[in-house]
Amino acid sequence: MLDPFDRSLRAFLPKAKPLLDNNTLAFNQSAFRIANVTQSSLRCYYQTIIRYDGDRGVRMNNTIPLELPATLPYDFYQVTCRNSSEAIIYKNLFSNISPTSVHRDNPVEEESPQHLSVILFGIDSASRSSAIRRLPKTMNILRNLQAYDFKGHTKVGENTFPNMIPLLTGLNVSELHLPRRPYMDKIPFLWNNYSKNGYTTFYAEDTPTWDTFNFNKRGFQIPPTDHYMRPYQLALWNVQKMDYPYISDYCYNGMSRHSLQINYLKQFLDLYKRKRRFALSLINVLCHNTEKNLQFGDEDLRDFVQWMDNEGHLKNTVFIIFGDHGNRISGIRRTPIGYLEDRMPLLQMIIPEQLKARHATVHESLLVNTNRLTTHFDLHQTIVDVLKQSFSEPSIAYREGKVRGISLFKTIPLARTCRDACIPDTYCVCDQTIEEPTSHALAKTMSETGVQMLNHIMFSEDRCAKLTFHKTTSVRRYLRTFQETGIIQTAVSLFRNADVLDRYIVQFQTIPGFGIFEATIGVYLDGGIRVEGDIDRVNKYWNQSACIQDGALLRAYCYCVKKHRVN
């Protein structure tokens, strides 16, 4: 049975034969013959896509006649062509990189061996292991290009936002002191530092309903970077809702959605070739819901990396391909391997050969660090060092007197612990676990404790059903270790309370809705049983929580019994 992505490609690719070659707006003569029209009988016009009300929406401006071939000085626009009978025979949304659409306070300067560009290419929910399984061609070319493969890279938050904030700011989400449904403009993102230092900036995501800074948030009042793809993606979303031909979650007019975003990034790299560039491209659609779809991006990702090398874009560039976290809600997540993969995202890095030649310690440290415990805080500090050219003396970031992040250009201590690396206990993978029977009375008691916590969190929300314990699906116990005092404890508990007898990772299912949740449970010497940290939802909840408009936690926990009333 074909998966939805494969069905989409097979359905749309044979049918879509564009009359205009993408972005050049030049005639595709073979497509004209197939469509049985002549150039003289064709009447075309365009509408630019304009952002309004911050990130909330887009609109089309007035239609303007278009003489083909043509080049338009806009980032996003829609072209429509009619035949002599006024029937629409062609309609397409275009992305483009136009320097005339950018208004900067300072000019873009030349890149050099000292002023390196930074390209961050993210894949939502991609773990290192899933990339090995699903992206063999991409991983092979990364090996050929001598990319550093970080095997101990570990997430520091549950989902995308609390991992991207450390990467892009060096801070935890709690340190931002954000109000409810906040705007993102005042957050100290790295791209602002780069822009002030003569870099042109780029940010793109491919799913506007899930965008990192828009999901349960308001996004940006003004575009955060020089080139910002959200208006184009919103326009795609709008035509998809109208049942536009040849469009789905995965495809648009014969192109995969991830390819559209890769092409936009390629246009950016080409237009500003040999200029200082900072780009963040985060692809959601490939892997967000299921890791199986990741394989359909393998050739496109391989070709993109190969293109960057062939076109000289890696000469003075630090190229980073990464995951924010592993897959959190697919079937594999409910296995012991999936538990680890969720916590260990992909991280590969390519640096220029001339940087290795000028700073041998950089290469040596990166090589050692591929087998050390690393986080997004460390990656942030590395990107800070690229901007500051701190290669001979890589930096360490401190927060309230504690080490927060260590540049990957500096050798990370072998004995580094999760506590040292600011990894919450819930996401630490340094300690071994052993499977325990789900039939024991303790398993049920721990599961019921988790259910009680869920209901406590939703206590004041009358739109959500009270959850009831259904069954325990998995129990794993942290292996014990000895402290000098002789007290037997779990390895994780050494970082916390001395009165913990054991800690467990418990998965349990609730009704209504059959949600599957995972919690770290502490069993204390005084007989107490307590939930440690957050409880994670590890299966899909689709529209079960549609009545909840705000709050990521409630959306994951709530089974709606009352409809949301809009004032």
Side-chain angles (χ1 to χ4, degrees):
M1 181 177 178
L2 292 175
D3 131 343
F5 189 97
D6 202 18
R7 288 201 300 271
S8 294
L9 285 182
R10 291 173 187 265
F12 292 127
L13 287 180
K15 296 180 182 178
K17 300 182 182 297
L19 296 177
L20 306 179
D21 291 332
N22 197 35
N23 300 310
T24 62
L25 297 186
F27 290 107
N28 184 334
Q29 298 295 344
S30 62
F32 268 69
R33 289 192 293 272
I34 292 169
N36 196 28
V37 295
T38 63
Q39 182 173 329
S40 59
S41 68
L42 196 68
R43 186 171 64 86
C44 297
Y45 56 86
Y46 73 91
Q47 299 169 281
T48 56
I49 300 169
I50 299 174
R51 188 172 178 265
Y52 79 87
D53 195 14
D55 271 354
R56 295 190 66 181
V58 290
R59 60 181 175 84
M60 302 286 187
N61 75 348
N62 296 330
T63 58
I64 301 172
L66 178 63
E67 294 292 331
L68 298 169
T71 301
L72 298 179
Y74 308 102
D75 269 23
F76 312 115
Y77 46 87
Q78 179 174 269
V79 173
T80 306
C81 295
R82 299 176 184 268
N83 62 15
S84 56
S85 302
E86 291 299 308
I88 294 177
I89 61 168
Y90 177 77
K91 200 176 209 179
N92 195 36
L93 294 166
F94 286 90
S95 67
N96 180 42
I97 296 290
S98 173
T100 60
S101 65
V102 178
H103 305 284
R104 294 176 54 92
D105 294 329
N106 59 326
V108 178
E109 300 183 28
E110 298 288 321
E111 71 177 11
S112 69
Q114 290 73 39
H115 298 96
L116 301 177
S117 293
V118 174
I119 310 301
L120 292 162
F121 192 98
I123 307 172
D124 190 342
S125 304
S127 68
R128 179 177 180 271
S129 296
S130 63
I132 291 171
R133 286 193 301 271
R134 304 289 181 175
L135 300 175
K137 296 175 182 177
T138 303
M139 297 293 276
N140 185 58
I141 193 171
L142 288 170
R143 280 193 296 272
N144 292 342
L145 293 173
Q146 299 181 356
Y148 301 94
D149 177 11
F150 293 86
K151 306 174 187 67
H153 198 60
T154 304
K155 73 176 188 178
V156 293
E158 173 54 18
N159 51 24
T160 302
F161 187 68
N163 285 292
M164 292 301 293
I165 287 296
L167 193 161
L168 295 173
T169 71
L171 301 172
N172 278 314
V173 172
S174 60
E175 294 167 329
L176 298 176
H177 305 292
L178 297 174
R180 185 179 181 185
R181 292 189 62 81
Y183 286 108
M184 302 283 106
D185 299 76
K186 294 183 179 180
I187 293 176
F189 290 110
L190 264 177
W191 54 58
N192 296 326
N193 305 66
Y194 274 80
S195 182
K196 291 174 184 176
N197 284 272
Y199 285 73
T200 180
T201 55
F202 170 106
Y203 168 41
E205 287 196 51
D206 60 1
T207 313
T209 53
W210 301 337
D211 276 1
T212 304
F213 306 112
N214 295 88
F215 182 66
N216 290 324
K217 305 164 196 71
R218 296 184 181 182
F220 299 91
Q221 292 176 296
I222 61 174
T225 53
D226 294 332
H227 298 279
Y228 181 42
M229 201 180 190
R230 183 171 174 81
Y232 178 80
Q233 300 291 2
L234 282 172
L236 276 183
W237 179 253
N238 290 340
V239 297
Q240 183 176 347
K241 288 190 294 185
M242 294 187 295
D243 242 359
Y244 195 79
Y246 314 136
I247 183 168
S248 74
D249 287 340
Y250 305 109
C251 298
Y252 173 68
N253 272 358
M255 289 190 69
S256 61
R257 299 285 280 267
H258 65 268
S259 293
L260 292 172
Q261 185 160 316
I262 290 173
N263 284 349
Y264 187 54
L265 178 56
K266 289 170 71 174
Q267 291 165 6
F268 171 79
L269 297 175
D270 266 345
L271 181 68
Y272 294 103
K273 192 170 185 178
R274 301 187 182 91
K275 298 289 186 179
R276 299 181 194 177
R277 299 162 293 182
F278 180 95
L280 169 63
S281 178
L282 184 58
I283 290 178
N284 299 314
V285 71
L286 270 177
C287 197
H288 184 267
N289 284 327
T290 170
E291 68 138 9
K292 291 190 297 183
N293 287 346
L294 187 57
Q295 65 195 23
F296 297 110
D298 190 19
E299 290 190 5
D300 295 320
L301 295 176
R302 184 270 316 271
D303 292 347
F304 170 65
V305 177
Q306 185 68 70
W307 174 86
M308 286 191 68
D309 185 43
N310 293 344
E311 296 298 315
H313 290 298
L314 296 176
K315 182 179 179 182
N316 289 310
T317 297
V318 173
F319 176 67
I320 298 164
I321 183 167
F322 71 99
D324 47 353
H325 51 76
N327 206 288
R328 299 169 44 240
I329 54 176
S330 66
I332 195 172
R333 174 60 183 84
R334 299 191 290 278
T335 68
I337 293 298
Y339 170 85
L340 294 175
E341 289 193 14
D342 168 30
R343 285 150 172 76
M344 304 192 74
L346 170 70
L347 176 60
Q348 298 239 348
M349 180 188 300
I350 297 173
I351 65 171
E353 289 299 319
Q354 51 84 9
L355 179 59
K356 299 179 190 178
R358 288 190 297 117
H359 300 281
T361 56
V362 165
H363 167 68
E364 293 166 3
S365 293
L366 287 171
L367 207 58
V368 169
N369 290 340
T370 59
N371 293 303
R372 299 287 165 87
L373 184 63
T374 63
T375 72
H376 295 311
F377 289 118
D378 304 322
L379 185 54
H380 169 85
Q381 207 58 34
T382 308
I383 301 169
V384 168
D385 278 356
V386 173
L387 179 61
K388 294 183 176 180
Q389 303 173 42
S390 299
F391 303 116
S392 298
E393 298 182 2
S395 61
I396 298 176
Y398 293 88
R399 191 77 178 174
E400 297 178 349
K402 292 180 58 180
V403 172
R404 169 60 61 86
I406 302 174
S407 171
L408 296 174
F409 299 146
K410 186 180 185 68
T411 301
I412 289 172
L414 176 62
R416 193 186 203 189
T417 64
C418 288
R419 188 181 189 185
D420 296 334
C422 299
I423 300 170
D425 289 352
T426 306
Y427 308 125
C428 185
V429 295
C430 294
D431 304 298
Q432 291 182 301
T433 61
I434 186 170
E435 191 168 356
E436 296 280 343
T438 59
S439 56
H440 285 180
L442 178 60
K444 182 179 180 182
T445 302
M446 290 189 294
S447 297
E448 289 176 336
T449 301
V451 176
Q452 289 172 11
M453 174 63 76
L454 293 177
N455 286 325
H456 175 74
I457 293 170
M458 296 185 290
F459 176 74
S460 61
E461 184 51 77
D462 63 358
R463 291 172 291 183
C464 302
K466 183 177 181 179
L467 299 179
T468 303
F469 168 73
H470 179 56
K471 64 180 179 180
T472 303
T473 56
S474 171
V475 177
R476 298 190 68 83
R477 178 172 56 84
Y478 283 105
L479 291 181
R480 296 178 176 184
T481 187
F482 283 92
Q483 280 186 301
E484 292 180 0
T485 59
I487 298 176
I488 298 177
Q489 295 186 315
T490 65
V492 171
S493 72
L494 296 180
F495 300 146
R496 293 295 185 184
N497 301 315
D499 58 349
V500 178
L501 177 62
D502 271 315
R503 267 194 173 88
Y504 296 81
I505 304 163
V506 182
Q507 286 185 11
F508 55 91
Q509 191 171 50
T510 62
I511 51 176
F514 296 103
I516 300 177
F517 300 92
E518 182 178 87
T520 300
I521 305 289
V523 178
Y524 288 73
L525 292 172
D526 63 3
I529 296 176
R530 302 163 203 169
V531 174
E532 309 286 344
D534 293 332
I535 299 177
D536 298 334
R537 176 78 178 246
V538 297
N539 69 333
K540 299 175 185 176
Y541 48 91
W542 302 110
N543 64 347
Q544 290 182 358
S545 59
C547 61
I548 301 297
Q549 304 301 309
D550 299 324
L553 270 181
L554 281 184
R555 287 177 64 89
Y557 298 163
C558 181
Y559 183 88
C560 292
V561 290
K562 291 186 179 181
K563 293 182 178 179
H564 178 58
R565 182 176 297 173
V566 179
N567 295 326

